[in-house]
Amino acid sequence: MVHGEIEISAFLKARRAALDPVEVGLPEGPGRRRVRGLRREEVAQLAAISVAYYTRIEQGRAPAVSDAVLDALARALRLTDGEAAYLRNIAGPRRRTAGRPRGARASAPVRTVSPEIRQLLDAMDPAVAAVVVGRGLDILAWNGPGGRLSFDLDALDPAQRNTALLVFLHPASRELYPDWEKKAQEIVGNLRADSGRHPDDPRICEVVNELLDRSPDFRRMWAAQGVSECLRGTKRIRHPWAGELTVSFESFRAAADPDHMLVTYTAERGSESEARLRELGWAAAGATLPAGRSGTGVPSPSGATSAMSGTSGASAVSPTSAAPAFAG
């Protein structure tokens, strides 16, 4: 599923199919094309390699593609920086495996967040919501508002704390994210980039296979072969008791473990979203909301009812359960 020879074939076919020959400086030629995009011989011509060699690369039969050839293919196919990095990653495993001692395995992901990162999470509470995401988009740690911003992470079973599984399989996710399609595309782009860096990682394979099996939307987006790792931006969240929030997110790789990504969420200073974000932090800590907040239209979390389920309270739920994943 995410093994190199399968992925490189699907990726190169999708990328050449997306190109217009005229736009890359090739003559239109006589007659009508039977398939859209570039032919193999045209990609080979643009990359200055033989058609036979390009065919072997696309079919996953070229064991050691050089960096120079990969760069030439990236230019020929007009790849973005993220797509070019993905191509290098999925073409590279065989080169890395060839130099690995027999019987040796790739390093396992570290699922334990360092004390320094946990201290940083606590220091940002309650003003900044933050989570730490690992390989396969597993959610490894969070602070108070980070654990309440979308799904109630404390209430979920550890195996269910995965951004991709929650976004695609949880019945409340489409109400939680008003711009669900955009959010889902971002998830797919991030997950594909991660699978390129670690094509044989068991957890990534497990997540991708489960989504391919259970989500038609994920199958559609994954088949498009898009690679656009989204590490910063703005999103809207329709929280069941805090109301709608507009937050900016920024991602930072941990120096001690590049597989760990610290993701922070903030709101514009003085905005209603900023006040509501702070309230999520106070609610997570069990603190009393400050005086003067009664006029915001935000219901008290202790007596709120989830607009998505008609129930209140938190429970450990499966991403496919109809129960809410929010603390009420």
Side-chain angles (χ1 to χ4, degrees), residues 21-49:
V22 176
E23 291 181 356
V24 297
L26 294 173
E28 202 165 347
R32 224 177 136 182
R33 288 175 176 257
R34 289 179 297 176
V35 294
R36 59 193 180 92
L38 302 185
R39 302 184 180 99
R40 283 176 177 168
E41 56 266 29
E42 292 171 330
V43 176
Q45 176 186 339
L46 291 170
I49 60 178

PDB file of all heavy atoms in Angstrom, residues 21-49:
ATOM      1  N   PRO A  21       0.774  19.021 -22.339  1.00  0.00           N
ATOM      2  CA  PRO A  21       2.003  19.049 -23.155  1.00  0.00           C
ATOM      3  C   PRO A  21       2.363  20.440 -23.647  1.00  0.00           C
ATOM      4  O   PRO A  21       3.553  20.807 -23.672  1.00  0.00           O
ATOM      5  CB  PRO A  21       1.652  18.121 -24.327  1.00  0.00           C
ATOM      6  CG  PRO A  21       0.599  17.216 -23.791  1.00  0.00           C
ATOM      7  CD  PRO A  21      -0.193  18.042 -22.824  1.00  0.00           C
ATOM      8  N   VAL A  22       1.382  21.231 -24.036  1.00  0.00           N
ATOM      9  CA  VAL A  22       1.650  22.579 -24.542  1.00  0.00           C
ATOM     10  C   VAL A  22       2.261  23.450 -23.459  1.00  0.00           C
ATOM     11  O   VAL A  22       3.179  24.238 -23.707  1.00  0.00           O
ATOM     12  CB  VAL A  22       0.359  23.208 -25.102  1.00  0.00           C
ATOM     13  CG1 VAL A  22       0.619  24.653 -25.537  1.00  0.00           C
ATOM     14  CG2 VAL A  22      -0.182  22.386 -26.260  1.00  0.00           C
ATOM     15  N   GLU A  23       1.786  23.295 -22.220  1.00  0.00           N
ATOM     16  CA  GLU A  23       2.269  24.129 -21.115  1.00  0.00           C
ATOM     17  C   GLU A  23       3.722  23.845 -20.766  1.00  0.00           C
ATOM     18  O   GLU A  23       4.406  24.696 -20.190  1.00  0.00           O
ATOM     19  CB  GLU A  23       1.387  23.929 -19.885  1.00  0.00           C
ATOM     20  CG  GLU A  23      -0.024  24.507 -20.038  1.00  0.00           C
ATOM     21  CD  GLU A  23      -0.851  24.312 -18.777  1.00  0.00           C
ATOM     22  OE1 GLU A  23      -0.350  23.660 -17.837  1.00  0.00           O
ATOM     23  OE2 GLU A  23      -1.986  24.810 -18.751  1.00  0.00           O
ATOM     24  N   VAL A  24       4.206  22.646 -21.080  1.00  0.00           N
ATOM     25  CA  VAL A  24       5.608  22.320 -20.777  1.00  0.00           C
ATOM     26  C   VAL A  24       6.491  22.451 -22.010  1.00  0.00           C
ATOM     27  O   VAL A  24       7.635  22.013 -22.010  1.00  0.00           O
ATOM     28  CB  VAL A  24       5.730  20.902 -20.176  1.00  0.00           C
ATOM     29  CG1 VAL A  24       4.997  20.815 -18.857  1.00  0.00           C
ATOM     30  CG2 VAL A  24       5.235  19.846 -21.146  1.00  0.00           C
ATOM     31  N   GLY A  25       5.939  23.059 -23.081  1.00  0.00           N
ATOM     32  CA  GLY A  25       6.750  23.350 -24.254  1.00  0.00           C
ATOM     33  C   GLY A  25       6.832  22.250 -25.288  1.00  0.00           C
ATOM     34  O   GLY A  25       7.707  22.299 -26.161  1.00  0.00           O
ATOM     35  N   LEU A  26       5.949  21.273 -25.219  1.00  0.00           N
ATOM     36  CA  LEU A  26       5.946  20.196 -26.202  1.00  0.00           C
ATOM     37  C   LEU A  26       4.910  20.474 -27.290  1.00  0.00           C
ATOM     38  O   LEU A  26       3.859  21.062 -27.009  1.00  0.00           O
ATOM     39  CB  LEU A  26       5.622  18.851 -25.532  1.00  0.00           C
ATOM     40  CG  LEU A  26       6.672  18.332 -24.546  1.00  0.00           C
ATOM     41  CD1 LEU A  26       6.148  17.096 -23.826  1.00  0.00           C
ATOM     42  CD2 LEU A  26       7.970  17.999 -25.273  1.00  0.00           C
ATOM     43  N   PRO A  27       5.176  20.068 -28.510  1.00  0.00           N
ATOM     44  CA  PRO A  27       4.190  20.282 -29.579  1.00  0.00           C
ATOM     45  C   PRO A  27       2.938  19.449 -29.329  1.00  0.00           C
ATOM     46  O   PRO A  27       2.993  18.361 -28.754  1.00  0.00           O
ATOM     47  CB  PRO A  27       4.918  19.813 -30.843  1.00  0.00           C
ATOM     48  CG  PRO A  27       5.964  18.863 -30.357  1.00  0.00           C
ATOM     49  CD  PRO A  27       6.387  19.382 -29.006  1.00  0.00           C
ATOM     50  N   GLU A  28       1.808  19.989 -29.751  1.00  0.00           N
ATOM     51  CA  GLU A  28       0.535  19.304 -29.522  1.00  0.00           C
ATOM     52  C   GLU A  28       0.458  18.007 -30.314  1.00  0.00           C
ATOM     53  O   GLU A  28      -0.098  17.010 -29.857  1.00  0.00           O
ATOM     54  CB  GLU A  28      -0.622  20.231 -29.924  1.00  0.00           C
ATOM     55  CG  GLU A  28      -1.913  19.853 -29.257  1.00  0.00           C
ATOM     56  CD  GLU A  28      -2.926  20.969 -29.366  1.00  0.00           C
ATOM     57  OE1 GLU A  28      -2.574  22.100 -29.728  1.00  0.00           O
ATOM     58  OE2 GLU A  28      -4.086  20.675 -29.099  1.00  0.00           O
ATOM     59  N   GLY A  29       1.038  17.989 -31.502  1.00  0.00           N
ATOM     60  CA  GLY A  29       1.084  16.766 -32.297  1.00  0.00           C
ATOM     61  C   GLY A  29      -0.210  16.508 -33.034  1.00  0.00           C
ATOM     62  O   GLY A  29      -1.262  17.058 -32.700  1.00  0.00           O
ATOM     63  N   PRO A  30      -0.140  15.668 -34.066  1.00  0.00           N
ATOM     64  CA  PRO A  30      -1.333  15.375 -34.844  1.00  0.00           C
ATOM     65  C   PRO A  30      -2.272  14.423 -34.109  1.00  0.00           C
ATOM     66  O   PRO A  30      -1.843  13.608 -33.299  1.00  0.00           O
ATOM     67  CB  PRO A  30      -0.760  14.705 -36.103  1.00  0.00           C
ATOM     68  CG  PRO A  30       0.487  14.045 -35.618  1.00  0.00           C
ATOM     69  CD  PRO A  30       1.045  14.953 -34.561  1.00  0.00           C
ATOM     70  N   GLY A  31      -3.549  14.556 -34.408  1.00  0.00           N
ATOM     71  CA  GLY A  31      -4.531  13.640 -33.848  1.00  0.00           C
ATOM     72  C   GLY A  31      -4.832  13.910 -32.382  1.00  0.00           C
ATOM     73  O   GLY A  31      -4.237  14.771 -31.750  1.00  0.00           O
ATOM     74  N   ARG A  32      -5.762  13.133 -31.878  1.00  0.00           N
ATOM     75  CA  ARG A  32      -6.192  13.309 -30.492  1.00  0.00           C
ATOM     76  C   ARG A  32      -5.494  12.326 -29.573  1.00  0.00           C
ATOM     77  O   ARG A  32      -5.266  11.179 -29.957  1.00  0.00           O
ATOM     78  CB  ARG A  32      -7.686  13.042 -30.417  1.00  0.00           C
ATOM     79  CG  ARG A  32      -8.411  14.058 -29.582  1.00  0.00           C
ATOM     80  CD  ARG A  32      -9.881  13.810 -29.580  1.00  0.00           C
ATOM     81  NE  ARG A  32     -10.377  13.939 -28.241  1.00  0.00           N
ATOM     82  CZ  ARG A  32     -11.619  13.740 -27.908  1.00  0.00           C
ATOM     83  NH1 ARG A  32     -12.478  13.383 -28.820  1.00  0.00           N
ATOM     84  NH2 ARG A  32     -12.003  13.907 -26.691  1.00  0.00           N
ATOM     85  N   ARG A  33      -5.135  12.753 -28.396  1.00  0.00           N
ATOM     86  CA  ARG A  33      -4.480  11.862 -27.440  1.00  0.00           C
ATOM     87  C   ARG A  33      -5.513  10.922 -26.825  1.00  0.00           C
ATOM     88  O   ARG A  33      -6.610  11.329 -26.481  1.00  0.00           O
ATOM     89  CB  ARG A  33      -3.812  12.675 -26.330  1.00  0.00           C
ATOM     90  CG  ARG A  33      -2.574  13.413 -26.811  1.00  0.00           C
ATOM     91  CD  ARG A  33      -2.023  14.302 -25.708  1.00  0.00           C
ATOM     92  NE  ARG A  33      -0.793  14.915 -26.171  1.00  0.00           N
ATOM     93  CZ  ARG A  33       0.424  14.524 -25.802  1.00  0.00           C
ATOM     94  NH1 ARG A  33       0.558  13.525 -24.965  1.00  0.00           N
ATOM     95  NH2 ARG A  33       1.496  15.123 -26.288  1.00  0.00           N
ATOM     96  N   ARG A  34      -5.112   9.680 -26.666  1.00  0.00           N
ATOM     97  CA  ARG A  34      -6.022   8.708 -26.063  1.00  0.00           C
ATOM     98  C   ARG A  34      -6.089   8.872 -24.547  1.00  0.00           C
ATOM     99  O   ARG A  34      -7.089   8.513 -23.929  1.00  0.00           O
ATOM    100  CB  ARG A  34      -5.572   7.290 -26.398  1.00  0.00           C
ATOM    101  CG  ARG A  34      -5.800   6.917 -27.859  1.00  0.00           C
ATOM    102  CD  ARG A  34      -5.313   5.507 -28.146  1.00  0.00           C
ATOM    103  NE  ARG A  34      -3.864   5.391 -27.946  1.00  0.00           N
ATOM    104  CZ  ARG A  34      -3.200   4.244 -28.049  1.00  0.00           C
ATOM    105  NH1 ARG A  34      -3.842   3.127 -28.319  1.00  0.00           N
ATOM    106  NH2 ARG A  34      -1.888   4.216 -27.873  1.00  0.00           N
ATOM    107  N   VAL A  35      -5.021   9.382 -23.956  1.00  0.00           N
ATOM    108  CA  VAL A  35      -5.008   9.627 -22.514  1.00  0.00           C
ATOM    109  C   VAL A  35      -4.568  11.063 -22.267  1.00  0.00           C
ATOM    110  O   VAL A  35      -3.851  11.650 -23.071  1.00  0.00           O
ATOM    111  CB  VAL A  35      -4.055   8.648 -21.781  1.00  0.00           C
ATOM    112  CG1 VAL A  35      -4.568   7.227 -21.881  1.00  0.00           C
ATOM    113  CG2 VAL A  35      -2.644   8.752 -22.332  1.00  0.00           C
ATOM    114  N   ARG A  36      -4.991  11.610 -21.149  1.00  0.00           N
ATOM    115  CA  ARG A  36      -4.622  12.996 -20.857  1.00  0.00           C
ATOM    116  C   ARG A  36      -3.222  13.049 -20.260  1.00  0.00           C
ATOM    117  O   ARG A  36      -2.719  12.074 -19.719  1.00  0.00           O
ATOM    118  CB  ARG A  36      -5.633  13.631 -19.910  1.00  0.00           C
ATOM    119  CG  ARG A  36      -5.790  12.952 -18.598  1.00  0.00           C
ATOM    120  CD  ARG A  36      -7.015  13.453 -17.852  1.00  0.00           C
ATOM    121  NE  ARG A  36      -7.155  12.785 -16.563  1.00  0.00           N
ATOM    122  CZ  ARG A  36      -6.664  13.245 -15.437  1.00  0.00           C
ATOM    123  NH1 ARG A  36      -5.979  14.374 -15.440  1.00  0.00           N
ATOM    124  NH2 ARG A  36      -6.826  12.588 -14.312  1.00  0.00           N
ATOM    125  N   GLY A  37      -2.612  14.217 -20.382  1.00  0.00           N
ATOM    126  CA  GLY A  37      -1.296  14.413 -19.793  1.00  0.00           C
ATOM    127  C   GLY A  37      -0.156  14.025 -20.721  1.00  0.00           C
ATOM    128  O   GLY A  37      -0.330  13.912 -21.934  1.00  0.00           O
ATOM    129  N   LEU A  38       1.012  13.840 -20.120  1.00  0.00           N
ATOM    130  CA  LEU A  38       2.208  13.501 -20.879  1.00  0.00           C
ATOM    131  C   LEU A  38       2.357  11.993 -21.059  1.00  0.00           C
ATOM    132  O   LEU A  38       1.976  11.215 -20.185  1.00  0.00           O
ATOM    133  CB  LEU A  38       3.460  14.036 -20.165  1.00  0.00           C
ATOM    134  CG  LEU A  38       3.544  15.539 -19.898  1.00  0.00           C
ATOM    135  CD1 LEU A  38       4.901  15.869 -19.294  1.00  0.00           C
ATOM    136  CD2 LEU A  38       3.290  16.352 -21.145  1.00  0.00           C
ATOM    137  N   ARG A  39       2.936  11.604 -22.184  1.00  0.00           N
ATOM    138  CA  ARG A  39       3.311  10.220 -22.386  1.00  0.00           C
ATOM    139  C   ARG A  39       4.648   9.954 -21.701  1.00  0.00           C
ATOM    140  O   ARG A  39       5.402  10.882 -21.396  1.00  0.00           O
ATOM    141  CB  ARG A  39       3.430   9.923 -23.888  1.00  0.00           C
ATOM    142  CG  ARG A  39       2.161  10.187 -24.695  1.00  0.00           C
ATOM    143  CD  ARG A  39       2.364   9.772 -26.141  1.00  0.00           C
ATOM    144  NE  ARG A  39       1.178  10.006 -26.951  1.00  0.00           N
ATOM    145  CZ  ARG A  39       1.009  11.063 -27.734  1.00  0.00           C
ATOM    146  NH1 ARG A  39       1.970  11.986 -27.827  1.00  0.00           N
ATOM    147  NH2 ARG A  39      -0.105  11.206 -28.432  1.00  0.00           N
ATOM    148  N   ARG A  40       4.956   8.676 -21.522  1.00  0.00           N
ATOM    149  CA  ARG A  40       6.223   8.324 -20.886  1.00  0.00           C
ATOM    150  C   ARG A  40       7.409   8.867 -21.672  1.00  0.00           C
ATOM    151  O   ARG A  40       8.374   9.383 -21.093  1.00  0.00           O
ATOM    152  CB  ARG A  40       6.348   6.806 -20.766  1.00  0.00           C
ATOM    153  CG  ARG A  40       5.528   6.193 -19.634  1.00  0.00           C
ATOM    154  CD  ARG A  40       5.631   4.684 -19.666  1.00  0.00           C
ATOM    155  NE  ARG A  40       4.925   4.071 -18.556  1.00  0.00           N
ATOM    156  CZ  ARG A  40       4.668   2.780 -18.461  1.00  0.00           C
ATOM    157  NH1 ARG A  40       5.082   1.955 -19.420  1.00  0.00           N
ATOM    158  NH2 ARG A  40       4.019   2.288 -17.425  1.00  0.00           N
ATOM    159  N   GLU A  41       7.345   8.754 -22.991  1.00  0.00           N
ATOM    160  CA  GLU A  41       8.471   9.215 -23.798  1.00  0.00           C
ATOM    161  C   GLU A  41       8.662  10.723 -23.691  1.00  0.00           C
ATOM    162  O   GLU A  41       9.784  11.224 -23.822  1.00  0.00           O
ATOM    163  CB  GLU A  41       8.311   8.790 -25.262  1.00  0.00           C
ATOM    164  CG  GLU A  41       7.017   9.245 -25.919  1.00  0.00           C
ATOM    165  CD  GLU A  41       5.916   8.206 -25.837  1.00  0.00           C
ATOM    166  OE1 GLU A  41       5.912   7.418 -24.861  1.00  0.00           O
ATOM    167  OE2 GLU A  41       5.061   8.188 -26.742  1.00  0.00           O
ATOM    168  N   GLU A  42       7.578  11.446 -23.448  1.00  0.00           N
ATOM    169  CA  GLU A  42       7.679  12.903 -23.306  1.00  0.00           C
ATOM    170  C   GLU A  42       8.320  13.277 -21.975  1.00  0.00           C
ATOM    171  O   GLU A  42       9.124  14.218 -21.902  1.00  0.00           O
ATOM    172  CB  GLU A  42       6.300  13.530 -23.453  1.00  0.00           C
ATOM    173  CG  GLU A  42       5.744  13.417 -24.877  1.00  0.00           C
ATOM    174  CD  GLU A  42       4.299  13.827 -24.980  1.00  0.00           C
ATOM    175  OE1 GLU A  42       3.544  13.674 -23.993  1.00  0.00           O
ATOM    176  OE2 GLU A  42       3.889  14.305 -26.068  1.00  0.00           O
ATOM    177  N   VAL A  43       7.979  12.556 -20.926  1.00  0.00           N
ATOM    178  CA  VAL A  43       8.633  12.795 -19.635  1.00  0.00           C
ATOM    179  C   VAL A  43      10.123  12.474 -19.745  1.00  0.00           C
ATOM    180  O   VAL A  43      10.978  13.229 -19.266  1.00  0.00           O
ATOM    181  CB  VAL A  43       7.979  11.942 -18.526  1.00  0.00           C
ATOM    182  CG1 VAL A  43       8.738  12.127 -17.202  1.00  0.00           C
ATOM    183  CG2 VAL A  43       6.525  12.322 -18.346  1.00  0.00           C
ATOM    184  N   ALA A  44      10.435  11.367 -20.400  1.00  0.00           N
ATOM    185  CA  ALA A  44      11.841  10.989 -20.582  1.00  0.00           C
ATOM    186  C   ALA A  44      12.594  12.053 -21.361  1.00  0.00           C
ATOM    187  O   ALA A  44      13.737  12.395 -21.034  1.00  0.00           O
ATOM    188  CB  ALA A  44      11.922   9.642 -21.296  1.00  0.00           C
ATOM    189  N   GLN A  45      11.960  12.596 -22.398  1.00  0.00           N
ATOM    190  CA  GLN A  45      12.589  13.644 -23.196  1.00  0.00           C
ATOM    191  C   GLN A  45      12.872  14.884 -22.351  1.00  0.00           C
ATOM    192  O   GLN A  45      13.969  15.456 -22.397  1.00  0.00           O
ATOM    193  CB  GLN A  45      11.674  14.014 -24.363  1.00  0.00           C
ATOM    194  CG  GLN A  45      12.179  15.176 -25.216  1.00  0.00           C
ATOM    195  CD  GLN A  45      11.159  15.603 -26.274  1.00  0.00           C
ATOM    196  OE1 GLN A  45      10.274  14.836 -26.634  1.00  0.00           O
ATOM    197  NE2 GLN A  45      11.290  16.827 -26.755  1.00  0.00           N
ATOM    198  N   LEU A  46      11.890  15.292 -21.546  1.00  0.00           N
ATOM    199  CA  LEU A  46      12.065  16.481 -20.717  1.00  0.00           C
ATOM    200  C   LEU A  46      13.122  16.265 -19.631  1.00  0.00           C
ATOM    201  O   LEU A  46      13.815  17.207 -19.236  1.00  0.00           O
ATOM    202  CB  LEU A  46      10.725  16.858 -20.066  1.00  0.00           C
ATOM    203  CG  LEU A  46       9.642  17.395 -21.011  1.00  0.00           C
ATOM    204  CD1 LEU A  46       8.309  17.494 -20.282  1.00  0.00           C
ATOM    205  CD2 LEU A  46      10.039  18.767 -21.568  1.00  0.00           C
ATOM    206  N   ALA A  47      13.249  15.039 -19.152  1.00  0.00           N
ATOM    207  CA  ALA A  47      14.225  14.744 -18.100  1.00  0.00           C
ATOM    208  C   ALA A  47      15.582  14.331 -18.652  1.00  0.00           C
ATOM    209  O   ALA A  47      16.519  14.095 -17.883  1.00  0.00           O
ATOM    210  CB  ALA A  47      13.686  13.636 -17.196  1.00  0.00           C
ATOM    211  N   ALA A  48      15.678  14.239 -19.985  1.00  0.00           N
ATOM    212  CA  ALA A  48      16.934  13.857 -20.654  1.00  0.00           C
ATOM    213  C   ALA A  48      17.432  12.488 -20.218  1.00  0.00           C
ATOM    214  O   ALA A  48      18.620  12.281 -19.932  1.00  0.00           O
ATOM    215  CB  ALA A  48      18.005  14.931 -20.418  1.00  0.00           C
ATOM    216  N   ILE A  49      16.504  11.528 -20.136  1.00  0.00           N
ATOM    217  CA  ILE A  49      16.868  10.140 -19.869  1.00  0.00           C
ATOM    218  C   ILE A  49      16.185   9.265 -20.913  1.00  0.00           C
ATOM    219  O   ILE A  49      15.285   9.720 -21.633  1.00  0.00           O
ATOM    220  CB  ILE A  49      16.454   9.685 -18.451  1.00  0.00           C
ATOM    221  CG1 ILE A  49      14.937   9.811 -18.262  1.00  0.00           C
ATOM    222  CG2 ILE A  49      17.196  10.481 -17.395  1.00  0.00           C
ATOM    223  CD1 ILE A  49      14.450   9.325 -16.911  1.00  0.00           C
TER     224      ILE A  49
END
